[in-house]
Amino acid sequence: MSSAQDPFHIVKEEIQESIEKVLSSFHQWERTKQNHLTKELLASCESIEWQVDELDKAINVASRDPAWYGISEGELENRKRWTSTARAQIGNVKKAVMSESEIGSTSTSNGVRQELMRMPNSLQNDRYNQYRTQDNDEYISSESDRQLLLMRQQDEELDELSESVERIGSVGLIIHDELRAQEKIIDDLGMEMESTSNRLDFVQKKVAMVMKKAGAKGQIMMICFLLLLFIILFVLVFLT
């Protein structure tokens, strides 16, 4: 199976493009540390990790009987090595983003504690509950945004897959119509050949009957006539 037809290479290219986009966003995030980039990076990493896991499952299935799938052992090792590398790249990005988020969260918590220590006890409880509620709301909002982004990416991937299936279906219909047209042409050609064969048999029988009725003398005269006709045609075609 060629690389262009192998589903592994198609999925690999899509995942590689997604990884490159994540790395580009990660470099931008390192400079700005924007909150919305943090959410997008985490959601993208989870989506890519899921795709790599699914690809790993397909590789494991193929490794059970490589000959049936037309894949060599070396190719299987290359595919496993690529998925491991892709998972490590995304894991490093995700780990860096989550570590930074935890550091930011810890710094905020320390600031809250210091602020609470300067307040009277009656206000400390109220302010602490306020901060706790705010943190919970932010966490829920962050998780909701991440899930929505992940669902949006999956919807886009499903739309692209649907378009690919529709294109393949259209190509299949065109090939089917072309095959039917060629089959009709072959049938018509067969009928014409059969009709020509019947007419040729009829002419041969007629010639045999004429030769039989003419006798030996008549056959010699006919041969001489045909020979003379051939010479005349040869002169007209090649010597004039």
Side-chain angles (χ1 to χ4, degrees):
M1 184 181 294
S2 64
S3 299
Q5 297 174 339
D6 195 334
F8 171 82
H9 293 286
I10 297 175
V11 177
K12 174 184 174 182
E13 291 177 1
E14 294 178 355
I15 295 176
Q16 187 62 46
E17 290 178 0
S18 300
I19 291 175
E20 291 174 358
K21 291 179 181 178
V22 167
L23 292 177
S24 176
S25 300
F26 177 68
H27 294 321
Q28 181 181 358
W29 174 84
E30 286 182 319
R31 296 191 300 269
T32 61
K33 296 295 191 298
Q34 294 180 358
N35 189 38
H36 74 278
L37 280 178
T38 303
K39 297 176 182 178
E40 291 179 2
L41 281 171
L42 292 175
S44 298
C45 288
E46 291 179 359
S47 176
I48 294 173
E49 284 179 340
W50 176 81
Q51 295 178 47
V52 173
D53 289 339
E54 292 299 315
L55 198 59
D56 250 344
K57 292 178 183 178
I59 294 173
N60 291 333
V61 171
S63 64
R64 297 173 187 170
D65 191 0
W68 192 87
Y69 292 96
I71 304 174
S72 64
E73 293 292 340
E75 177 64 18
L76 280 174
E77 290 300 324
N78 291 335
R79 295 184 179 189
K80 291 178 180 179
R81 192 178 303 112
W82 184 87
T83 54
S84 298
T85 302
R87 185 179 287 105
Q89 286 180 312
I90 293 304
N92 291 336
V93 172
K94 185 176 180 181
K95 184 177 180 180
V97 174
M98 293 183 69
S99 298
E100 185 67 27
S101 299
E102 290 175 358
I103 292 173
S105 177
T106 302
S107 299
T108 302
S109 299
N110 291 336
V112 171
R113 291 192 186 96
Q114 292 176 1
E115 183 178 351
L116 290 174
M117 291 298 293
R118 294 193 296 266
M119 293 181 178
N121 291 334
S122 61
L123 294 178
Q124 286 183 11
N125 293 330
D126 294 339
R127 184 59 60 88
Y128 175 76
N129 292 331
Q130 179 183 353
Y131 281 122
R132 185 175 181 181
T133 303
Q134 182 178 356
D135 289 342
N136 290 335
D137 292 341
E138 289 179 354
Y139 176 77
I140 294 173
S141 176
S142 175
E143 286 296 319
S144 300
D145 293 342
R146 187 184 306 173
Q147 293 296 329
L148 288 174
L149 181 59
L150 183 60
M151 292 175 62
R152 190 180 303 114
Q153 290 177 344
Q154 292 177 348
D155 289 340
E156 292 175 355
E157 292 171 358
L158 289 175
D159 290 340
E160 292 177 357
L161 180 60
S162 176
E163 292 175 358
S164 300
V165 171
E166 290 178 358
R167 287 196 297 270
I168 294 173
S170 300
V171 173
L173 291 175
I174 294 173
I175 294 174
H176 176 69
D177 294 340
E178 185 67 22
L179 289 175
R180 292 189 63 182
Q182 292 180 2
E183 183 180 2
K184 186 176 183 302
I185 292 172
I186 293 173
D187 291 339
D188 294 341
L189 181 60
M191 293 177 63
E192 290 180 2
M193 291 180 64
E194 185 177 357
S195 176
T196 302
S197 177
N198 293 333
R199 288 197 296 269
L200 183 59
D201 291 340
F202 177 76
V203 171
Q204 288 177 345
K205 290 178 182 179
K206 286 292 184 180
V207 171
M209 291 176 61
V210 171
M211 295 291 288
K212 186 176 181 181
K213 290 179 180 180
K217 185 177 180 180
Q219 292 178 9
I220 293 172
M221 290 180 63
M222 185 175 293
I223 292 172
C224 293
F225 173 75
L226 291 174
L227 182 60
L228 179 62
L229 181 62
F230 174 75
I231 293 172
I232 294 172
L233 291 174
F234 180 81
V235 171
L236 291 175
V237 173
F238 294 100
L239 301 181
T240 58

